[in-house]
Amino acid sequence: MKRTRISKAVAALAVLGLTAVGVVGCSSSGSSPTASSGDSGSSASGAPSSTDTASSGSATTLQPLPTAIPADLQPYYAQKLSWQGCYSGDQCSTFKVPLDYDHPGAAGGGDLTLSVFRQQATGQGVPRIGSLLVNPGGPGGSAVDYARYAATAFPAVVRAAYDIVGVDPRGVARSAPVQCLTDAQMDTYTQVDTTPTDQAGVDALVAADKAFAKGCQQNSGKLLAHVSTVDSARDMDVLRALLGDAKLHYLGKSYGTFLGATYAGLFPSRVGTMVLDGAMNPSLNAQQLNAQQAGGFQVAFDAFAADCVKRPSCPLGTGTVQQADAKLDTFFKSLNSNPLPTGDPRKLDEALGMTGVISAMYDSTQWPDLRLALADAINNGNGQGLLSLSDQYYERDSGGHYSNLMYANAAVNCLDLPSAAAGPDQVRQQLPTYEKSSPQFGASLAWGGLTCAYWPVAATGAPHVIPAKGAPPILVVGTTRDPATPYAWAQGLAAQLDSGTLLTFDGDGHTAYNRQPGGSACIDEAVNLYLLQGTTPTKGTVCH
């Protein structure tokens, strides 16, 4: 089978730029958000109820759903998967889930059809354990594409014991995808200045965000209220049953950790092995997530700069990291007034240039590409390299077509959490906090928080903690200089999970397990042992 290439934005977290909503944080449900610290009510379909919006900044507790499957959901759990050959020897199928878990079937608007991929366990030398569902993050990343990648790239011993399974979450890729803009409109959208310095710039940014939201409403209005993380977690439980597994075995990266943790919170007794790599902290609100992520990108860029300035050809100079930061600032500002040619009708402005730099922060193996791209832009006035990195981030192909990554990203994020800011005045108040976290990237993430302010569907989620009481040991993996999911988030998630164990990678880049190249044998061995035997590493284990 041909190995599938996974872009940074899919294998990581798609949150920067105009569609940035601050990393998606906390769970909600199109059916209703999470429960309070008291007893949780439920609908006829068993949906968790909300008794606290956490508007004061306090976090509620995600309560489990009833273990008995409600009668009106039983037809979904009784489906039979019809596997068809796909991708040169693997298997694909589809299954149905209710659009609205509170009102399954026609009463709630009908059903959605989700696409699922499977490579069966090779069985070479080890007994089959079950299915391992994988999710690369986003939100908006294709789990089908990631499973195709994992089916050849994951360690042979893991593929021997597990069927590798990926289901595109509702609203993503092959599963009723959210649609918003034409490709030409998206080109325009990605070039809007995300660091406005005057009222005209602010007005242009607000107009762009409103047009984006309007496009999503016009093209996907029925779906937008039903693409929350809780909805997708409940879809995974349906799939678990259809696969014939009593327990859900799962490996999620980036946003996929929030999806997995949400599943554990809702269905703790059905958790098997669960690896949450590049973890998110669901107890944080959108502003906290955005500002802290800005700090993560700053740490990552400073690590890149420290490496770069040691090299004679570094385009940011050979002085200090602070001097390199200053040169990058000067370069970004120059792009506003003098965008660079790229060999494409689009020119490299500050928005695209910054996204290109951020894209390379996800993987330290791309630092050489970033050095070359910056050198070509700064020294030769050619923005092609940075534009290519930006396109990789946005999943724009060579023909100018965008995947639905950014549309799904905004739709899920805006449903899962209230907006980081209600309008431009609040962004201005928040700017000092963001710029303290990241002089280079803070302002862009602050203004990016406006996306959800104009969203056509009100958020149904709020910050909450996920104890998942009764779940077996859950392995949380954190990278100390992770740009997109700061290490503190992994610490926070591991601490709130009753059975969480934190495994630390002292390194650069986004996520740690099975990185090729640039990974850690220590991390891989610890995760493999856990997946195969359920044995968690010793408390306090740090890998290099």
Side-chain angles (χ1 to χ4, degrees):
M1 184 184 73
K2 182 179 178 182
R3 177 167 167 174
T4 304
R5 181 181 175 278
I6 301 296
S7 77
K8 294 291 180 301
V10 170
L13 201 57
V15 291
L16 184 72
L18 287 173
T19 49
V21 197
V23 187
V24 63
C26 308
S27 106
S28 68
S29 147
S31 42
S32 31
T34 59
S36 73
S37 56
D39 294 335
S40 63
S42 61
S43 71
S45 300
S49 65
S50 174
T51 58
D52 188 335
T53 63
S55 59
S56 64
S58 61
T60 61
T61 299
L62 180 63
Q63 301 290 344
L65 289 168
T67 54
I69 298 169
D72 54 3
L73 292 181
Q74 287 180 2
Y76 298 96
Y77 280 81
Q79 296 173 83
K80 302 295 183 183
L81 293 173
S82 177
W83 294 105
Q84 306 294 324
C86 62
Y87 304 118
S88 304
D90 296 309
Q91 298 177 318
C92 293
S93 188
T94 61
F95 64 102
K96 293 187 181 299
V97 293
L99 174 69
D100 184 348
Y101 272 96
D102 274 349
H103 306 94
D111 298 333
L112 299 175
T113 300
L114 306 188
S115 292
V116 59
F117 164 94
R118 178 174 73 176
Q119 178 182 267
Q120 293 183 288
T122 64
Q124 296 175 350
V126 296
R128 179 182 178 276
I129 295 174
S131 304
L132 180 65
L133 267 68
V134 297
N135 185 282
S142 169
V144 168
D145 287 347
Y146 188 62
R148 292 178 60 202
Y149 159 81
T152 58
F154 272 22
V157 66
V158 173
R159 292 183 284 115
Y162 286 100
D163 296 345
I164 303 298
V165 176
V167 55
D168 282 346
R170 55 174 62 203
V172 174
R174 302 163 184 83
S175 296
V178 173
Q179 299 295 341
C180 298
L181 303 179
T182 66
D183 291 333
Q185 289 171 333
M186 190 64 179
D187 274 347
T188 300
Y189 185 63
T190 60
Q191 296 175 72
V192 175
D193 185 7
T194 57
T195 57
T197 55
D198 56 25
Q199 190 58 47
V202 171
D203 291 345
L205 179 62
V206 169
D209 280 333
K210 288 181 176 179
F212 183 90
K214 183 178 180 180
C216 297
Q217 183 178 32
Q218 290 176 336
N219 291 291
S220 301
K222 177 182 176 182
L223 184 61
L224 295 184
H226 303 287
V227 291
S228 73
T229 297
V230 163
D231 286 321
S232 290
R234 299 185 75 174
D235 295 342
M236 289 202 306
D237 195 59
V238 173
L239 178 58
R240 172 202 57 78
L242 303 187
L243 291 168
D245 291 339
K247 304 285 186 179
L248 179 95
H249 304 287
Y250 180 83
L251 188 149
K253 294 198 169 194
S254 196
Y255 161 80
T257 67
F258 177 52
L259 178 58
T262 299
Y263 181 91
L266 296 174
F267 306 102
S269 65
R270 296 176 191 162
V271 173
T273 52
M274 181 168 284
V275 179
L276 307 177
D277 182 10
M280 294 182 57
N281 184 346
S283 68
L284 302 177
N285 64 36
Q287 183 189 355
Q288 291 169 322
L289 288 163
N290 279 3
Q292 291 177 28
Q293 192 192 42
F297 282 120
Q298 190 66 52
V299 168
F301 180 78
D302 287 348
F304 162 78
D307 176 78
C308 186
V309 297
K310 297 175 184 176
R311 303 170 186 271
S313 60
C314 177
L316 300 176
T318 55
T320 65
V321 169
Q322 290 73 24
Q323 289 170 332
D325 288 349
K327 188 161 186 178
L328 183 72
D329 282 343
T330 299
F331 169 65
F332 281 157
K333 291 174 182 175
S334 73
L335 294 177
N336 271 334
S337 54
N338 295 293
L340 300 180
T342 62
D344 183 279
R346 297 168 297 156
K347 291 189 174 182
L348 187 79
D349 62 5
E350 182 184 18
L352 292 173
M354 187 176 294
T355 303
V357 171
I358 286 291
S359 179
M361 293 299 97
Y362 282 88
D363 185 352
S364 57
T365 64
Q366 281 214 312
W367 288 3
D369 295 335
L370 179 57
R371 286 197 303 271
L372 290 173
L374 284 171
D376 207 16
I378 293 172
N379 301 330
N380 304 324
N382 182 2
Q384 184 175 15
L386 285 173
L387 181 64
S388 177
L389 288 169
S390 177
D391 285 349
Q392 183 183 80
Y393 184 91
Y394 285 121
E395 288 199 352
R396 181 187 190 273
D397 65 25
S398 59
H401 177 64
Y402 290 85
S403 77
N404 92 310
L405 172 66
M406 289 298 172
Y407 310 142
N409 182 269
V412 176
N413 281 335
C414 292
L415 199 56
D416 275 352
L417 277 181
S419 180
D425 288 344
Q426 191 171 6
V427 174
R428 293 186 182 100
Q429 295 170 5
Q430 296 170 351
L431 275 172
T433 299
Y434 283 88
E435 291 174 334
K436 182 178 180 180
S437 293
S438 174
Q440 269 65 51
F441 311 111
S444 183
L445 268 76
W447 286 107
L450 277 182
T451 304
C452 292
Y454 311 109
W455 203 246
V457 178
T460 55
H464 58 262
V465 296
I466 303 179
K469 292 181 179 180
I474 294 173
L475 183 58
V476 179
V477 185
T479 299
T480 56
R481 293 181 295 281
D482 190 312
T485 52
Y487 178 64
W489 294 358
Q491 293 175 304
L493 179 60
Q496 64 190 259
L497 288 167
D498 273 20
S499 59
T501 294
L502 178 63
L503 174 63
T504 298
F505 174 47
D506 183 8
D508 299 291
H510 185 40
T511 74
Y513 177 64
N514 200 53
R515 284 173 52 172
Q516 301 174 359
S520 163
C522 170
I523 290 287
D524 293 350
E525 290 167 4
V527 172
N528 292 344
L529 182 64
Y530 168 74
L531 286 173
L532 296 173
Q533 300 182 16
T535 303
T536 54
T538 303
K539 183 179 180 179
T541 297
V542 178
C543 294
H544 301 275

